[in-house]
Amino acid sequence: DQQVKQNSPSLSVQEGRISILNCDYTNSMFDYFLWYKKYPAEGPTFLISISSIKDKNEDGRFTVFLNKSAKHLSLHIVPSQPGDSAVYFCAASDGGATNKLIFGTGTLLAVQP
Amino acid sequence: GAGVSQSPSNKVTEKGKDVELRCDPISGHTALYWYRQRLGQGLEFLIYFQGNSAPDKSGLPSDRFSAERTGESVSTLTIQRTQQEDSAVYLCASSFAAGANVLTFGAGSRLTVL
């Protein structure tokens, strides 16, 4: 059973426009959410996170929104740049002792020049 | 080291052979995780180590998979009698403490079982 879902396997946007990547989760015990970015042949790198006590976190061009009632989060990138082209993974943690992250299947973002 | 180092970066093996994958975490990081990513799938948790505590093995898919870690340093993931469905990128990650939310990943070891 997929606890973290990214229903869009790919997204294409024009340079300078907004990219919106979506993620849904099923486990109400998740209390911390992260976005990772992955380039080919590299490991995922941390991008931005949000605690369940917040509904928005912003870092430069990247903003993550959390809607707990809908069990939905989204990552906004504005303006999008060609260097943002990568696979974006949503991840969630239940804050337990292990703190293992549960990842979605990823969304491939292509930013067209 | 400056980052999480994994070796080999690529491994091609025949079905039925054993393989060992190595991870060298960031110095000072006490927590170490193994994940795998099969084609078209998300990252799947395998195992977690924290200091001298018993590892969390809840993600290991079968008893053909095992992992060891010496203290707070290198970890080895072993897959015995490999099967074609074991083909995946095996990713190691570390964090500075148990419960730390941000994991730093290595580049992964791509395993292909023929």
Side-chain angles (χ1 to χ4, degrees):
Chain A
D1 181 35
Q2 193 74 19
Q3 296 188 70
V4 178
K5 300 177 184 178
Q6 294 178 256
N7 292 318
S8 297
S10 63
L11 175 68
S12 181
V13 298
Q14 288 294 122
E15 181 178 6
R17 307 295 289 267
I18 185 170
S19 295
I20 300 176
L21 297 100
N22 293 303
C23 178
D24 298 292
Y25 61 95
T26 58
N27 189 340
S28 58
M29 297 300 293
F30 288 151
D31 63 356
Y32 202 83
F33 304 89
L34 306 88
W35 285 93
Y36 277 79
K37 175 180 177 180
K38 186 181 185 302
Y39 293 116
E42 295 183 11
T45 56
F46 170 73
L47 188 58
I48 192 169
S49 62
I50 188 166
S51 164
S52 60
I53 63 173
K54 294 187 173 183
D55 55 17
K56 176 182 174 181
N57 187 28
E58 191 172 353
D59 183 3
R61 297 185 298 113
F62 303 91
T63 303
V64 55
F65 296 92
L66 175 62
N67 182 335
K68 289 187 291 294
S69 61
K71 295 191 178 68
H72 177 84
L73 66 157
S74 61
L75 174 68
H76 293 209
I77 307 173
V78 55
S80 301
Q81 300 173 353
D84 297 329
S85 298
V87 177
Y88 289 79
F89 290 98
C90 169
S93 166
D94 64 3
T98 300
N99 198 42
K100 60 191 179 194
L101 299 182
I102 310 299
F103 284 83
T105 51
T107 297
L108 174 62
L109 173 66
V111 180
Q112 309 295 333
Chain B
V4 177
S5 179
Q6 292 189 245
S7 61
S9 55
N10 277 288
K11 175 73 176 178
V12 180
T13 190
E14 293 179 347
K15 178 181 172 181
K17 295 286 181 68
D18 298 351
V19 297
E20 279 192 357
L21 307 176
R22 176 189 167 104
C23 173
D24 201 343
I26 292 173
S27 178
H29 278 197
T30 60
L32 186 147
Y33 302 76
W34 283 97
Y35 283 80
R36 76 174 175 182
Q37 184 184 15
R38 290 188 283 189
L39 192 64
Q41 304 293 314
L43 278 68
E44 177 187 0
F45 168 80
L46 297 177
I47 189 169
Y48 159 82
F49 294 92
Q50 169 60 39
N52 294 319
S53 302
D56 179 348
K57 304 179 181 180
S58 60
L60 294 179
S62 78
D63 58 8
R64 295 186 297 103
F65 287 73
S66 62
E68 293 184 349
R69 187 182 186 194
T70 306
E72 293 182 353
S73 61
V74 172
S75 175
T76 302
L77 177 68
T78 301
I79 309 172
Q80 295 178 310
R81 304 181 303 282
T82 52
Q83 304 293 313
Q84 288 184 332
E85 64 263 27
D86 300 334
S87 297
V89 176
Y90 288 82
L91 291 156
C92 177
S94 68
S95 65
F96 74 92
N101 286 301
V102 179
L103 308 184
T104 302
F105 282 86
S109 293
R110 179 177 295 279
L111 174 66
T112 303
V113 182
L114 302 177

